[in-house]
Amino acid sequence: MPEDDYLTELRREFHQYPEPGWREFWTTVRIVEELERIGADEIHVGPAAVDTDERLGVPDDEELDRWFEKAKSKTNRTDVLEQTEGGNTGVVAVVDRGDGPSVGLRADIDALPINESSDDGHVPASEGFRSTNEGFMHACGHDSHITFGLGTLKTVAESEFEGTFTVFFQPSEELLGGGKAMAAGPHIDDIDHLLGAHVGLDNPTGTVVAGLDGALALSRLDVTFEGESVHAGLEPNNGRNAVQALVAAIDNIYGIPRHEAGATRVNVGNVRADNATNVIADHATAQVEVRGESTELMEYMRDSVYRCLDSAAEMHECTVDTSVIGESIRRDSDEELVDLVSSIGNDIDDISSVVRRDTLGASEDVTYLMKAVQENGGQATFIGIGASNPTGHHTPTFDIDEESLPIGVSILSNTALELLS
Amino acid sequence: MPEDDYLTELRREFHQYPEPGWREFWTTVRIVEELERIGADEIHVGPAAVDTDERLGVPDDEELDRWFEKAKSKTNRTDVLEQTEGGNTGVVAVVDRGDGPSVGLRADIDALPINESSDDGHVPASEGFRSTNEGFMHACGHDSHITFGLGTLKTVAESEFEGTFTVFFQPSEELLGGGKAMAAGPHIDDIDHLLGAHVGLDNPTGTVVAGLDGALALSRLDVTFEGESVHAGLEPNNGRNAVQALVAAIDNIYGIPRHEAGATRVNVGNVRADNATNVIADHATAQVEVRGESTELMEYMRDSVYRCLDSAAEMHECTVDTSVIGESIRRDSDEELVDLVSSIGNDIDDISSVVRRDTLGASEDVTYLMKAVQENGGQATFIGIGASNPTGHHTPTFDIDEESLPIGVSILSNTALELLS
Amino acid sequence: MPEDDYLTELRREFHQYPEPGWREFWTTVRIVEELERIGADEIHVGPAAVDTDERLGVPDDEELDRWFEKAKSKTNRTDVLEQTEGGNTGVVAVVDRGDGPSVGLRADIDALPINESSDDGHVPASEGFRSTNEGFMHACGHDSHITFGLGTLKTVAESEFEGTFTVFFQPSEELLGGGKAMAAGPHIDDIDHLLGAHVGLDNPTGTVVAGLDGALALSRLDVTFEGESVHAGLEPNNGRNAVQALVAAIDNIYGIPRHEAGATRVNVGNVRADNATNVIADHATAQVEVRGESTELMEYMRDSVYRCLDSAAEMHECTVDTSVIGESIRRDSDEELVDLVSSIGNDIDDISSVVRRDTLGASEDVTYLMKAVQENGGQATFIGIGASNPTGHHTPTFDIDEESLPIGVSILSNTALELLS
Amino acid sequence: MPEDDYLTELRREFHQYPEPGWREFWTTVRIVEELERIGADEIHVGPAAVDTDERLGVPDDEELDRWFEKAKSKTNRTDVLEQTEGGNTGVVAVVDRGDGPSVGLRADIDALPINESSDDGHVPASEGFRSTNEGFMHACGHDSHITFGLGTLKTVAESEFEGTFTVFFQPSEELLGGGKAMAAGPHIDDIDHLLGAHVGLDNPTGTVVAGLDGALALSRLDVTFEGESVHAGLEPNNGRNAVQALVAAIDNIYGIPRHEAGATRVNVGNVRADNATNVIADHATAQVEVRGESTELMEYMRDSVYRCLDSAAEMHECTVDTSVIGESIRRDSDEELVDLVSSIGNDIDDISSVVRRDTLGASEDVTYLMKAVQENGGQATFIGIGASNPTGHHTPTFDIDEESLPIGVSILSNTALELLS
């Protein structure tokens, strides 16, 4: 099978079975199978790949079980599957050629809760590889990212070099829940040079961005106020009103002062109190999301939100529980690696345009891995692999030009091998 | 069949098939069947009984259809059923004996969304007449009220008198949605003397309250804010935030000034905005409930709520839709009728205690019918029929001592016949 | 000099020199002089009359000094004046005739910050006894109350009885600042029967109310938020915004839930933050006032206000200082004394109408003295002495019909002597 | 008298008599006198210099009169003074040499409400030219700016050129009240090249900044809510609470969404409601200040503030009056002029360092004049004239190194003459 067909087939297989964050059970097993076929020297699954205590936004057991059972019915590799039980998805694979530099590649593997289009004009539909998990879809190209990871590891493994090459198949990027846990895992400390990659991002096939930067740091909180329920007509004074507490909190959260050091953001969603109107609410929930142009700005906002929540609860004699369900920091690409990727990109025929740096609109938790490497004295860059898209990311008709797959593997493997030489 | 058994059997049959407000399709048909058997002179159903434009809190078509189809499968009287389609439930029945006084009785017929207990200690469960509509229950005694209505009409019809006796089988009391519509219907104008009746209310069997008073007037609003949705990180300024509008409204609604003239109440429930936290909310909903010791106080609160809602919407460039989904006013019992009921009560052997007046905690929309009669120069009283209850109203183990059924029919029919003599 | 002229002259003298709460320096001296003339057995001034630690709303030293110096220039009784320095105004006078019952009378002595009318139609102006302290006025009749106190003591002292008669000349009633302190003083414990008196209150001359009731309990708080000031354009994040804290507090204070047990009130006044708009406010102040139909209701409101203030401060990283500057409780008149006053009133010729009980609109801190007596097993009543007024209390043209002065002294002294007999 | 002494004497004379915005009566007269001495061809005062309808933040008549009378007592040039009555301060002076280019210079002339230090270490104190208007001070160097204006006009007038040179002596820069009015006046339309100048700004003597940029656009609003006053205990429902309206407005003003296009700011100051706490407030005032990195961002904030104010008023049945009392826009210096000033600066011996561009922290209303010129197709730059300061601007010990005066005149006159050649 020609190399390009291998990549296309891999991508289409993963496209057909999208799994959301911390529920990538089958995906994890299938990656392991492929790594075994390629002949990776080390394959670490679940708790051996990520620090499970640092996972953010892990769903409840019922939800995890449902997806675990689905995966079980689709594979006979229960030996691998069992390692992932309880939301312990993700893989780290190593090609080990002894002493020498250590290069890493991060590939995120989770999907989105989007219902994929079944229109004839949508290639995955017309070509027969549309999502089989109704309501879920690889609508941000992580199927390609898995393919980049496996394809690059295969190419590197088939080459000669000294040192180690590690691929981080990271779960739960969409929830900003997996990057922190993987960066806290046991494998990042070894890495001297880290590459990340993202397909698409409005760049056409043939364009490569050597360094993506500027993602706003983000923190997302789950908030639950608990009060006490009484009849609103008979004894309003005896209640402890969770709706009033929530309202006081939201009211003041939007009023957190702007910051001299740069842009900040705040928003509240998923607001809910189910009390009947003749009853004082004893329970009210919401999610709060803050962003900052830097990690420090995000933390300023997050700490201010905590203060608003706590004092709003006190004000109305309620209690409040908060948990971080997703978080990302700000990290930018290192100049030296951007130079290297640019120069290698210019030497690849299928790459018609190399952009040195571009701004990433959305938040990304590859930044945790970048930070870990950079703080160890290493370098990191987050590379954009152009892929002409019919429609934007996170839409039901998102698709990528599969010509981008071998281009991505070329730039990533050439860069890795150059660093390993 | 002895009279008392007749009442018990009726009550148990209605108890087994509870239907919530505006969905009393089978209940309406079954009342009509019984009225035909008794031989009422006039039977008016649905639009012939209530002013359908004045109905409050009518559920959406899907919900109505679901209950209508259930009822259809349980009766062959499609001739009656068809008249109720679209939530046109309720019956007015008349025994017409020519010129003379006109006496009315109001009986409400809807049930509650409460899951009835299946404990052995709960008589309807152990005796086999527990609710067959899972999740719904006659937990406030309206099964008894229907029985009072039918039993009293039967007794009156079997007696000699001159004038007319009318029973108003009113839908949707629990939602405070039917009283206004029935009072706006074509039959209340004829009434000189109106009796209402409520079973239980913490009075034991054998006690009768000649006049229940003091229910807080109440208005319940459905509120929907519509704004505009944009990405909260990329362009927060371009959104129109329905959550901020809702929060500004709620915040100020709780701050509506107290009133010199008496007690007022306000509460907010069913708060909901489903936006993802990375998106500015374009939709947020809630229900607001206000009460007042008088109709005017309720209206003061309701008007203030409207003002808060409208200006909160403007403040955040949103729109707001409100609809009244339930409303009741304040009306008290007339002294002359209280005197009459007291004296008749004292003459009935099974009545061991007559209380002249007592306060009704909850809100009640019988007040609309009382007002219509009183404003026409007639008189009205709302009578409490004691019935020893194992647990309180609106609980899964609510039940009534069935000895109260013949007592209720006695006091109501004796009073009606006295007024008709 | 005939008795009535004596009362009129006294009242006019006090009317000419009104002093506001805790600044009744000359008033105290003048009362003492008169008591000495009458021949009271004991005269207790300032710290010997009130518990100085329990005084509420005492002005700052500069303000106290200003009024003290004014008084100094108007009297040569520096021996008495010195006892009042620092706002220690007020007198307790006792006529002691050995063992026997102990009867008390409370007379409040402070004036209001109202500019008295100089219109010809205003009797004090045309008759030449208008206020000489510009901007201050006895506009609530406390000049008459002092006169009642002195006149009654004189009459009682001239009579034969066994027991003691005590008059409490209480400072600072208008601020609700003196009642608590006088009730905590050393003289109230002895009292078996306490009489209070208020002139006017929309009752014409010749009417007496045997028991005034129903004053709302009240608490008034001084509130100061302290934050941190920074340039609002350059570093808004480094401030701690006292205006935002104050706004969050006020916003939620108005939303304190209504109470099932009766009427409550809340209001905010004297709001102030003087920061330039280009600077985050580091200082913001306000006064909050709560009321309740009962002492408990007032306390429920006051405690809720404290909670709002504290958590609003925390929310915005500010601190908040609060102090009670005025407070009154709810106490009603005792039935037995109301009976006695009524029957004595009916026997006095100049009294044409005796009302048993009436409701007092405003708040009054005579309630603290009533409570102390009642809790000791004694009885108390607050008596209304009708006095036809040209205009309402607290207006620049308030005045009283001086015919009410001897009536007041009659009912008070007759009642006292009856209790002492 | 040597040139430098002339400049120093002028600056010290103006320093001794500081007048705040729209009250620069003596200052205006004194400038006119000096212009006459120098021999300007045209001298336009007050309404002939500014569009009086466009003045922002003009004080009330009483305040204007007070300063006008002070000025009157200090000059015998009542002919000039009369033209300024009512706050019509400011002068435009023209040296007209016929056809040719038209160059303008803007010099602002108002002082600050700061109490000047009388410490020996403060040169104006020790050298005897400290402010004689206690509480007011030239603490931002506008005395130097007047000196730059007069000195430059004198130098230009003594030179040969063709065209016109105009100096705009602008009132009320500190209030951001005069720039708009002067730009709307009759003289700006003629200008091809506009120079502005600011002394100090933390640059040492000898440094010149060729283009100052980046001042945040700013708008400052005076806000007055009017409601209705009633007794807060007796009839709270009948009030219309201006404090509640103000609180609702402030609360939501701080929550105005951040903007994608750049930095915004918002703050509230001067909050005040004087109601007694037992009375619902019928009057509450505040000032609101918004800023934006661009004029559009400021306008976005200002429009959002208006919306919050209007709907908060409606919410509580109040009315609200707003007036803009100060405003500035964003305008940056033109590249061509920056080049010219840089190159001329490099040729002046006393200038040791030329900075091409620097950021201005504070807001400035020279931007209105810059905009008018730029929109007419002309060019403008705002030049920083370094002057070693002992302490920062707007402090009681602010002072400038007077060596900076001739440097300022050199760079300004050389640039003007170059443009006029």
Side-chain angles (χ1 to χ4, degrees), chain A residues 251-252 254-260 264-266 301, chain D residues 251-252 254-260 264-266 301:
Chain A
D251 194 26
N252 284 278
Y254 277 107
I256 296 172
R258 281 121 169 107
H259 199 291
E260 62 186 305
T264 54
R265 296 285 182 269
V266 59
M301 293 298 293
Chain D
D251 193 25
N252 284 277
Y254 277 107
I256 296 171
R258 281 124 168 105
H259 198 291
E260 63 186 305
T264 54
R265 295 286 182 269
V266 59
M301 292 299 292

Side-chain angles (χ1 to χ4, degrees), chain D residues 391-411:
Chain D
T391 64
H393 293 248
H394 293 217
T395 63
T397 49
F398 177 77
D399 189 20
I400 57 132
D401 176 4
E402 289 168 338
E403 297 295 323
S404 62
L405 297 173
I407 296 176
V409 169
S410 295
I411 185 80

